[in-house]
Amino acid sequence: MEQLNGTETIVDNSLKEVKRHGSEGFPMGVYLDDFSHFQNGYICWHWHNEVQFTLIIKGEFTCQVGSEKLLLSPGDSIFINSCALHQIVPCKKSYGKLYSFIWKADMLAGNMECDLYHSCIENILNDSRKYYIYNKNNKNRAKMNAALIRIAGLFSEKPEDLLSAGWNLDGFV
């Protein structure tokens, strides 16, 4: 499995993203988005059933989730909940890089009947908040970023290790 480079976001009439993230057996996509390669220079309004983490690598971005506008800087990350309408626009046109991690929520727990899903994942999905931000004021930022960078590395080099690495969500949300 290789890391994918994003260049555009294709949506249907409801703004639902039509791209499949990963495969049926491994429903996760990791994308290194370089906005100098994006067709319109930004990620347009869209939503998807999967959850998403985005980590800012280079440049500043305005991330809109619903009607809220959030300024994200290098080192900031954001969790976007399932079905939340969002877009990401670089503050300087066509400039910046970020990682996006998009996956089916039940992948983390194995299935929707296990204790991990009920104790951690289900609470996040049913939360009224559509996003969680990890910026310089968040005590878990360094831990979250280290985990995201590790996932990106494993995804591009040894994705099978992701299946056995285990998922520790304690303290992230």
Side-chain angles (χ1 to χ4, degrees):
M1 221 173 292
E2 67 182 69
Q3 217 165 252
L4 302 172
N5 294 313
T7 57
E8 65 181 333
T9 304
I10 301 171
V11 299
D12 67 14
N13 289 339
S14 73
L15 299 180
K16 181 178 182 180
E17 184 175 23
V18 299
K19 178 178 183 53
R20 180 182 201 162
H21 300 289
S23 64
E24 190 64 35
F26 195 78
M28 179 180 191
V30 175
Y31 307 92
L32 177 57
D33 297 328
D34 181 338
F35 284 76
S36 65
H37 299 141
F38 266 72
Q39 218 171 42
N40 298 317
Y42 63 95
I43 296 174
C44 69
W45 283 108
H46 69 285
W47 64 274
H48 36 75
N49 291 325
E50 300 88 358
V51 296
Q52 174 176 333
F53 257 108
T54 294
L55 171 62
I56 306 303
I57 305 297
K58 178 180 172 184
E60 291 190 327
F61 294 84
T62 299
C63 179
Q64 289 184 254
V65 182
S67 62
E68 296 190 54
K69 288 185 177 183
L70 309 159
L71 180 63
L72 300 175
S73 300
D76 292 346
S77 57
I78 185 169
F79 170 86
I80 301 172
N81 213 337
S82 174
C83 300
L85 184 64
H86 60 284
Q87 76 169 351
I88 302 175
V89 180
C91 293
K92 183 178 175 186
K93 186 168 173 60
S94 299
Y95 177 80
K97 289 184 182 180
L98 56 81
Y99 274 114
S100 288
F101 306 82
I102 303 173
W103 70 92
K104 288 176 68 174
D106 61 346
M107 176 186 157
L108 295 181
N111 68 60
M112 295 166 71
E113 300 305 319
C114 76
D115 291 340
L116 177 61
Y117 183 84
H118 289 294
S119 65
C120 296
I121 311 299
E122 186 174 46
N123 296 336
I124 294 169
L125 295 176
N126 293 329
D127 195 311
S128 62
R129 292 176 286 183
K130 294 295 180 191
Y131 67 90
Y132 300 88
I133 194 164
Y134 299 88
N135 59 22
K136 63 185 174 201
N137 300 318
N138 188 290
K139 64 181 178 162
N140 293 313
R141 177 184 181 193
K143 186 176 176 182
M144 176 60 71
N145 288 353
L148 293 173
I149 294 297
R150 181 168 180 247
I151 290 168
L154 287 172
F155 195 86
S156 63
E157 294 172 20
K158 294 179 73 180
E160 65 276 5
D161 286 354
L162 281 173
L163 298 173
S164 61
W167 299 89
N168 183 357
L169 302 177
D170 294 340
F172 286 138
V173 179

